């Protein structure tokens, strides 16, 4: 079980007071600028003690985002989809239908003020969610995100199935993770995803796991509780 493998640095991400995190699923795709504005407003309210923590699950229309470490040369087809400059960590990534984006607004003042442990917690969250589908996944030194190893007769490779890009302000996190459930993988061809050229991208459906978005959401929620604590749907 994931809960048995969490390191001490990750287990301290559980809030001592046990307050649940609000869990919200957007019913329709959300434009990126609107999502960023909503995240920033919520993160400010959390920092001020005026709102509870929140995880916001959504899909975006097809687009590329450029993190603070992005290189212009990694945008291979600038005219393919809208490109948004983002304040999150990381490089270029793609968001679009069939990909579950989870924006994570947590108060690290109550979770250890340890950004590295927080990122490791996000990794373990994703690894645990993929484990719910029987998909073994892990992280790799020098590469951001979560990876799966694929093998066939005479070949093997590692593909990225989930990305992580966060920002922390006043010890409140925003932005978050993306998990490829069933996106159009050809859409990643317009960028060098996360600056890594020698590896590919995959999804649950591409791996032969016919997961629905609702099933992916439930796996994410189950795994989130093990790493970060209880959740509650908004009233």
């Amino acid at each position: 079980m994931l809960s048995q493998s969490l390191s001490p640095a990750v287990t301290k991400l559980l809030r001592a007071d046990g307050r649940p995190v609000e869990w919200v699923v957007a019913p329709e795709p959300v434009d990126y600028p609107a999502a960023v504005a909503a995240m920033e407003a919520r993160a400010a309210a959390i920092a001020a003690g005026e709102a509870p923590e929140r995880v916001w699950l959504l899909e975006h229309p097809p687009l590329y985002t450029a993190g603070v470490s992005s290189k212009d040369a990694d945008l291979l087809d600038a005219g393919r989809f809208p490109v948004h400059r983002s304040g999150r960590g990381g490089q270029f990534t793609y968001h679009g239908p069939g990909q579950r984006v989870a924006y994570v607004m947590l108060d690290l003042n109550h979770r250890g003020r340890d950004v590295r442990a927080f990122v490791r917690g996000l990794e373990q969250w994703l690894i645990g969610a993929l484990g719910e589908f029987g998909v073994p996944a892990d992280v790799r030194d020098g590469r951001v995100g979560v990876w799966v190893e694929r093998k066939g007769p005479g070949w093997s490779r590692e593909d990225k199935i989930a990305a992580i890009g966060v920002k922390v302000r006043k010890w409140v996190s925003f932005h978050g993770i993306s998990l490829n459930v069933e996106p159009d993988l050809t859409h990643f061809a317009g960028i060098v995803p996360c600056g890594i050229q020698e590896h590919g991208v995959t999804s649950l459906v591409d791996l032969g796991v016919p997961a629905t978005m609702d099933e992916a959401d439930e796996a994410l929620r189950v795994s989130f509780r093990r790493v970060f604590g209880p959740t509650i749907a908004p009233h």
Side-chain angles (χ1 to χ4, degrees), residues 24-229:
V24 182
V25 181
E28 301 291 340
V30 180
D31 287 336
Y32 189 76
V36 172
M39 271 193 294
E40 293 198 344
R42 184 58 174 237
I46 293 169
E50 298 170 352
E53 297 173 304
R54 170 179 284 182
V55 173
W56 185 21
L57 277 66
L58 53 82
E59 292 175 87
H60 284 305
L63 57 90
Y64 298 128
T65 68
V68 295
S69 300
S70 61
K71 302 178 179 66
D72 290 344
D74 288 342
L75 179 59
L76 306 178
D77 187 353
R80 188 168 190 171
F81 298 124
V83 179
H84 299 275
R85 300 288 168 177
S86 171
R88 64 163 173 80
Q91 302 186 47
F92 276 102
T93 194
Y94 164 78
H95 295 313
Q99 181 192 72
R100 177 52 87 206
V101 174
Y103 289 133
V104 184
M105 290 152 274
L106 298 185
D107 188 350
L108 301 187
N109 289 291
H110 296 281
R111 297 177 183 272
R113 286 196 176 191
D114 187 332
V115 175
R116 289 186 179 181
F118 173 58
V119 172
R120 287 196 294 271
L122 296 176
E123 294 168 346
Q124 292 300 313
W125 173 29
L126 286 162
I127 291 167
L130 289 163
E132 294 293 311
F133 295 102
V135 175
D138 211 336
V139 295
R140 295 290 184 268
D141 289 342
R143 296 187 229 150
V144 179
V146 173
W147 300 77
V148 296
E149 186 175 3
R150 310 183 71 177
K151 295 182 179 181
W155 64 271
S156 67
R157 73 171 189 261
E158 293 179 337
D159 286 346
K160 190 171 189 175
I161 193 168
I164 297 172
V166 296
K167 186 175 178 66
V168 175
R169 182 182 296 156
K170 296 183 178 179
W171 290 106
V172 175
S173 69
F174 53 111
H175 295 279
I177 62 99
S178 60
L179 173 64
N180 294 334
V181 180
E182 192 180 7
D184 185 338
L185 295 178
T186 67
H187 290 177
F188 285 88
I191 57 171
V192 178
C194 300
I196 299 172
Q197 295 180 313
E198 62 270 26
H199 300 283
V201 292
T202 190
S203 68
L204 284 169
V205 171
D206 185 50
L207 292 172
V209 180
T212 67
M213 194 64 75
D214 287 345
E215 290 169 339
D217 289 350
E218 180 58 23
L220 285 166
R221 191 165 185 172
V222 167
S223 182
F224 183 90
R225 288 169 174 165
R226 290 194 290 250
V227 180
F228 295 104

